[in-house]
Amino acid sequence: MRETPRSQVTAGETGSRPPQLRPGRALAHTPGASGSGTPHRSDGRPPQTPRGARYAGQFGRFGTTPPVPNRPTIFLILFAALLFAALTWQVASDGPLLAYDERLGDAIRTSAIPSGLAEFFSDLGNMAVALPVLAATLAYVTWRTRTWFPVIAAAVTMALVPTLVGPLQTLIARPGPPPMAPETGFYPSGHAATAAVAYGLCALILRSRRLAYGCVLVNAAVGLGLVRQGYHWPADVVGSWCLAVLLLCAAAYAVSRSRRRSSSGTPSC
């Protein structure tokens, strides 16, 4: 048998009213302290990570701007660095890998790939082609975002390509394929590195996943064209790709930090 609530009558007051809620247990499930209006905080202070300051996704995924590299990106950096070191060691020491590399290069050079198409693809690695494409992309992004940091980061990254590739070519002095013999200085490939970094920066700055896939296809075509025309060995191209991955990851990290500071209100370039 249930008890009915007792009526509470005071002086000068008639009728009954329901029992009053006790603070503590009943209010423990309401958002914030009483009257604070702040969710999940009992002291009225603002949350430590407001929704406006959260950054979804991880560095390395196109379309996001967090500053912390995720695990797949770190693995990619380590893989590229180790592969570049291994290839450089094999080329510099005339290791056993070069026999397979030259055999593959000869097979591609004498394949049925049309020479005109291969020449067109290899020309995409020229600075006269890649740099204007990058410059147009940077001009568009600067006009849309009114920020100069992507331009600075891209300029520094592109300047590092000849700075790193030139001394390595002179130091290693790898002989070129038969059409280029007896010239030396073909590892790593300058054309492959220029194409990978320039077109990779376009996809990075625009934060487009589709452009990233297109960049991979274009660079694969550039590398195939360079080997087909006898301008480089396959290892020259792969070494340049590894070097480009390291440069692009560094540029992506710098640009993501700049965007995060800009979105949080911190002045940036």
Side-chain angles (χ1 to χ4, degrees), residues 109 111-122 225 228-229 231:
R109 190 174 61 256
S111 66
I113 300 176
S115 177
L117 184 62
E119 186 70 23
F120 171 77
F121 286 147
S122 64
R228 168 63 179 84
Q229 294 301 96
Y231 298 144

Side-chain angles (χ1 to χ4, degrees), residues 49-50 67 77 168:
T49 55
I77 294 173
L168 283 173

Side-chain angles (χ1 to χ4, degrees), residues 31-122:
S34 178
S36 67
T38 304
H40 312 301
R41 299 289 295 193
S42 59
D43 52 3
R45 291 182 297 172
Q48 294 182 357
T49 55
R51 292 186 179 182
R54 293 177 183 173
Y55 297 87
Q58 296 291 333
F59 164 74
R61 300 177 185 174
F62 291 90
T64 58
T65 57
V68 182
N70 59 10
R71 187 169 298 176
T73 305
I74 295 176
F75 287 159
L76 176 62
I77 294 173
L78 292 176
F79 175 77
L82 291 176
L83 182 56
F84 180 74
L87 287 174
T88 304
W89 168 61
Q90 285 291 300
V91 174
S93 62
D94 197 15
L97 181 63
L98 294 190
Y100 300 97
D101 179 51
E102 294 175 359
R103 189 180 304 172
L104 176 61
D106 292 337
I108 296 176
R109 190 174 61 256
T110 57
S111 66
I113 300 176
S115 177
L117 184 62
E119 186 70 23
F120 171 77
F121 286 147
S122 64

Side-chain angles (χ1 to χ4, degrees), residues 161-226:
V161 173
T163 303
L164 296 175
V165 171
L168 283 173
Q169 290 178 337
T170 303
L171 180 64
I172 297 175
R174 184 186 189 184
M180 307 301 296
E183 296 183 15
T184 59
F186 288 84
Y187 179 89
S189 168
H191 284 73
T194 298
V197 173
Y199 302 136
L201 284 171
C202 292
L204 171 66
I205 299 301
L206 291 175
R207 293 186 289 174
S208 171
R209 189 183 299 271
R210 292 181 179 179
L211 283 180
Y213 295 148
C215 174
V216 173
L217 294 177
V218 168
N219 280 282
V222 171
L224 185 63
L226 291 172

Side-chain angles (χ1 to χ4, degrees), residues 245-268:
V245 167
L246 299 178
L247 293 176
L248 289 174
C249 285
Y253 182 75
V255 172
S256 66
R257 286 185 62 89
S258 173
R259 285 173 176 159
R260 182 173 181 268
R261 291 173 181 175
S262 178
S263 61
S264 62
T266 304
S268 59

